[in-house]
Amino acid sequence: MSAVRLTYEQLKAYEGRSTSAAAVGKDPVNEPMIRHWCEAVGDTNPAYQGPDAIAPPTMLQAWTMGGLSGHTDRSGAYDELSGLLDSAGYTSIVATDCEQEYLRPLRPGDRITFDAVIESVSERKTTKLGTGYFITTRMDIHADGERAGTHRFRVLKYAPAVRTREAAARTPGAAARTPEETAERPQAYRQAQVPQRPSASQQSQAPDQPRARRPRPVINRDNAGFWEGVRGHRLLIQRCTGCRTLRFPWLPGCNACGSAEWETVEASGAGTVFSYVVMHHPPFPAFTASEHGTAAPRPQANAPRPHAGAPGPAPDAPAPGTTARDAPAPDAPAPYAVGLIELAEGVRIVSNVIGVPYDKVRIGMPVRLEFLRVDEELELPVFRAAEGGEG
């Protein structure tokens, strides 16, 4: 279905319309939710504990959420606008950003009310995803009748761009990447790309059936150093130079003392499975780690490190210690385990658990860091179950 150009007046008429008026938060600000939030994000700030505790400011939206049952006092303005765009062919949606303004601290016992409106609808915009309209909603949040903060949430309702097979074939296996997208990648990332000879399975694959590829990681100024370490087969953890607190994943500032100064510590590679899930559906081959790449063990401390430009192992070479049962047939992806790995240093990372059948993964199982080359330009840290199995 091709997109229809709507008049801007049609969409602008929705600006200022209420989507929720005088709605009431389902729970008052409370200590259990504050504690769970802080534990989930690893925030140990003492301001969120004790008799004079306040809620973390970034929890602002949490007190307005309706849960699975939702809120019953919403108006139909947003759904009406969304339906109008759907009918014109703008059927896809992606969240783009949110903004929060904090006007006063929230404390346990505060009763939350809020009003939400459609603040703005942009003119028709063309993006790499497609052509559409940015819709911004604004929520004004009150605590016991006093203005406490503002939450703005922006989405893009768009008609997906159509890429031809010829354009997709310009880069083998990269159907969703255009030359413009490649050019916008960080320079350090592009310079470290190492062409690898295709595996036997890749050579035999029909040209009109490109291998499913993992989505590319988002590399920015805050995490570029982490990915540079991965390319050198090093798993780097940030350490605050002020309070010496380790943190992972990478953040621009310390969540313990607020310092923006940091250094890195290389992980030893040892860890245990803190928790895990088994992914059954959808059966997307790009995420089944073992059959789409080769794993390289982390170099020992006295071994020379490969530099970013050094060639890696041949993609069709067996990984050390792997057996045929590690890798199901490429055309029949099996369930796979995704673990929350607690590193010996005390921080945690989410990654695949390999080297053991998915149904044998257990909490507390010892694992060891390896680096998996999943295609010609991407390596990822994964964790192999230590010899001896369930541990």
Side-chain angles (χ1 to χ4, degrees), residues 333-387:
Y336 57 97
V338 177
L340 177 60
I341 308 301
E342 184 163 77
L343 300 177
E345 292 73 18
V347 297
R348 297 170 188 162
I349 179 175
V350 176
S351 186
N352 288 86
V353 179
I354 65 172
V356 65
Y358 67 89
D359 56 353
K360 298 298 183 183
V361 176
R362 295 291 183 267
I363 291 174
M365 172 185 287
V367 292
R368 192 76 190 174
L369 173 66
E370 293 185 2
F371 292 90
L372 182 77
R373 180 172 290 281
V374 295
D375 57 41
E376 72 278 2
E377 63 179 27
L378 179 63
E379 285 189 275
L380 297 173
V382 296
F383 290 85
R384 179 172 294 277
E387 189 174 354

Side-chain angles (χ1 to χ4, degrees), residues 170-186:
R170 284 197 294 264
T171 303
R177 194 172 79 243
T178 65
E180 292 77 15
E181 290 170 320
T182 301
E184 290 187 0
R185 293 186 177 190

Side-chain angles (χ1 to χ4, degrees), residues 192 194 228-234 299 304-312 373 379:
V194 181
E228 183 178 355
V230 168
R231 290 193 296 274
H233 290 182
R234 304 173 68 202
R305 297 190 189 284
H307 57 79
R373 180 172 290 281
E379 285 189 275

Side-chain angles (χ1 to χ4, degrees), residues 55-70:
T58 49
M59 287 189 74
L60 184 67
Q61 187 191 17
W63 310 111
T64 70
M65 292 180 173
L68 294 177
S69 57

Side-chain angles (χ1 to χ4, degrees), residues 62-117:
W63 310 111
T64 70
M65 292 180 173
L68 294 177
S69 57
H71 287 288
T72 58
D73 46 7
R74 288 185 57 183
S75 76
Y78 193 91
D79 293 337
E80 186 180 325
L81 173 59
S82 183
L84 175 63
L85 289 166
D86 285 343
S87 66
Y90 304 97
T91 54
S92 296
I93 187 169
V94 62
T96 61
D97 61 284
C98 70
E99 303 171 13
Q100 292 186 341
E101 181 182 10
Y102 312 119
L103 302 178
R104 88 149 172 86
L106 297 178
R107 296 179 172 84
D110 284 343
R111 300 294 307 188
I112 301 300
T113 57
F114 56 92
D115 303 280
V117 299

